[in-house]
Amino acid sequence: MGAQKSIHAGNGVIGRRIDNLIFCVVVAKIDFNVDFTHKLCAALMFHPFRNAGAGNPLSLVIGSLCIKHPNLFGKSEKLHVLWDKGLCDSNILITYRKPRPEWLSQHAFVIQQSISPELGIHGIPIENFSRSGSGGVNLCRFSAGVDLSEPASSNWSSKTSIKYELVRPVNDDGHSISRDLHGFPVTCSGSYQDSMVVLKQESRFAKANDRSFTRFSLQIEQGIPILSKWLIFNRFKFIASKGIRLGPAFFLSSLTGGSVVGDIAPYQAFSIGGTGSVRGYGEGAVGSGRSCLVANSELTLPLNPMLEAAVFMDCGSDLGSGRHVPGNPGLRHGKPGTGFGFGYGIRFKSHLGHFQADFAVNAFQQRTVYFGFSNLA
């Protein structure tokens, strides 16, 4: 079921007089957007926290709840609350923004709490690496900090953030753990949780015209050891993509890479494989490394105004860095470290949203079909 509601009581002040006492309430418009679905099909009833979710009627509900307040304290302060819930994960994001002139950097106070299965690193590849099964490790993350977005100049934009992060691994029963099913550590500290302060800088470049576009983004994260046991590391990641129109067809290519220097927990490694990486493989089924390099290419050809056909090829590698991840989860799970996938698909665009279906084959001749639906109006 879904619902969207706006409440607006006017721009004035509601007042009530009781025994010479006046109560005044300033009201403003509040937007609600609710979209929840209850899973009734037993084949889809997969939940990582089996014991914790037993008897809970909300355990099989997926969807999202969004609440926006554009004038929280009467001075145009914006509050944005977003809750996403899946069968296996959930995420709560609270953002508070104070108004500032457009030529100054924009500040936002952010609090986030999430929990999700760590399939990319600790997932077990199955069916010739086309799927990833649960490895019994789930991550609870809490972060709080400040985002500063600089005013865009020309084709460049940048954002800086500093946040405190607390990462706590849990097993499928919801209990805190410090080691995986094979007895290897799942945190950098060796305890039940890792703490860190992370300074992150993100820069983006975008340029487009009628025939092509170019995009580039660079993320650099620096762990600041305020306390001796907190993580100190430098992690960078880049994404470069280029799109060119070739007659009626459109060719898109992208290159993604990154590396980590310093302290590293297994969950900070780069996972290779999956829909956003190398298609034809399960999540993280190609490899898990301190470094990575992934190349994607896709050619789409319009069949009619709403339907497109596509052919693609993906490849990726951990550059031999999997053995440098604590516990070497890639080697223990038999991940090859390098893989490629190719296939074809369709793209259907309508006023309701975009539907995508891809058929991919990996290096082990295992076939996988992916479905996606996005931009729901």
Side-chain angles (χ1 to χ4, degrees), residues 27-70:
V27 295
K29 182 179 180 181
I30 305 176
D31 291 331
F32 293 88
N33 191 350
V34 184
D35 185 7
F36 284 109
T37 303
H38 194 280
K39 290 293 184 183
L40 299 179
C41 180
L44 298 178
M45 290 182 180
F46 171 75
H47 199 280
F49 309 103
R50 291 178 286 272
N51 295 339
N56 183 0
L58 295 179
S59 63
L60 299 178
V61 174
I62 65 173
S64 63
L65 170 65
C66 179
I67 301 175
K68 297 181 180 181
H69 197 303

Side-chain angles (χ1 to χ4, degrees), residues 281-296:
Y281 292 82
E283 185 71 21
V286 173
S288 310
R290 271 185 177 261
S291 303
C292 78
L293 194 64
V294 177
N296 309 97

Side-chain angles (χ1 to χ4, degrees), residues 13-272:
V13 176
I14 297 176
R16 185 176 182 185
R17 183 184 183 92
I18 303 177
D19 294 335
N20 295 323
L21 296 177
I22 299 177
F23 296 88
C24 296
V25 180
V26 179
V27 295
K29 182 179 180 181
I30 305 176
D31 291 331
F32 293 88
N33 191 350
V34 184
D35 185 7
F36 284 109
T37 303
H38 194 280
K39 290 293 184 183
L40 299 179
C41 180
L44 298 178
M45 290 182 180
F46 171 75
H47 199 280
F49 309 103
R50 291 178 286 272
N51 295 339
N56 183 0
L58 295 179
S59 63
L60 299 178
V61 174
I62 65 173
S64 63
L65 170 65
C66 179
I67 301 175
K68 297 181 180 181
H69 197 303
N71 192 21
L72 187 61
F73 299 115
K75 295 183 179 179
S76 299
E77 301 94 339
K78 294 179 173 59
L79 178 67
H80 186 188
V81 180
L82 176 64
W83 176 39
D84 288 315
K85 183 185 181 301
L87 291 177
C88 311
D89 60 312
S90 67
N91 179 61
I92 299 175
L93 179 64
I94 302 174
T95 306
Y96 170 75
R97 290 183 174 86
K98 300 180 68 174
R100 290 172 63 87
E102 293 183 358
W103 61 86
L104 297 177
S105 61
Q106 303 298 309
H107 296 177
F109 300 91
V110 181
I111 299 176
Q112 187 171 12
Q113 172 74 48
S114 66
I115 183 169
S116 61
E118 187 53 276
L119 290 178
I121 306 300
H122 297 284
I124 301 174
I126 55 180
E127 294 183 1
N128 285 333
F129 303 93
S130 65
R131 294 198 300 121
S132 294
S134 173
V137 179
N138 309 273
L139 291 184
C140 295
R141 293 177 179 265
F142 171 81
S143 65
V146 181
D147 288 341
L148 295 90
S149 299
E150 298 295 330
S153 59
S154 183
N155 298 317
W156 286 94
S157 63
S158 65
K159 183 173 72 173
T160 304
S161 66
I162 182 166
K163 298 178 181 179
Y164 166 76
E165 294 187 9
L166 177 68
V167 181
R168 181 173 62 91
V170 299
N171 59 16
D172 288 343
D173 297 325
H175 300 134
S176 297
I177 57 175
S178 60
R179 297 182 178 272
D180 62 14
L181 298 176
H182 303 281
F184 290 89
V186 292
T187 60
C188 181
S189 63
S191 64
Y192 290 117
Q193 62 186 33
D194 283 335
S195 297
M196 64 197 87
V197 171
V198 180
L199 177 64
K200 181 178 179 180
Q201 173 70 39
E202 182 175 1
S203 299
R204 294 177 178 270
F205 172 84
K207 184 178 180 181
N209 55 43
D210 295 337
R211 302 292 303 174
S212 65
F213 73 83
T214 303
R215 293 175 186 159
F216 178 79
S217 70
L218 176 64
Q219 300 175 1
I220 300 177
E221 296 177 282
Q222 178 66 55
I224 304 175
I226 296 180
L227 298 181
S228 59
K229 294 183 178 181
W230 290 12
L231 275 63
I232 176 172
F233 62 90
N234 183 273
R235 187 179 195 269
F236 80 90
K237 178 181 178 180
F238 72 87
I239 303 175
S241 58
K242 179 71 174 183
I244 303 175
R245 187 165 297 281
L246 304 173
F250 192 81
F251 179 74
L252 173 64
S253 63
S254 65
L255 184 67
T256 303
S259 187
V260 183
V261 179
D263 296 335
I264 181 175
Y267 55 80
Q268 291 179 306
F270 294 95
S271 65
I272 307 167

Side-chain angles (χ1 to χ4, degrees), residues 313-334:
M313 182 172 183
D314 306 328
C315 60
S317 172
D318 64 5
L319 304 177
S321 64
R323 64 183 183 274
H324 300 301
V325 177
N328 200 347
L331 177 64
R332 287 190 286 112
H333 294 313

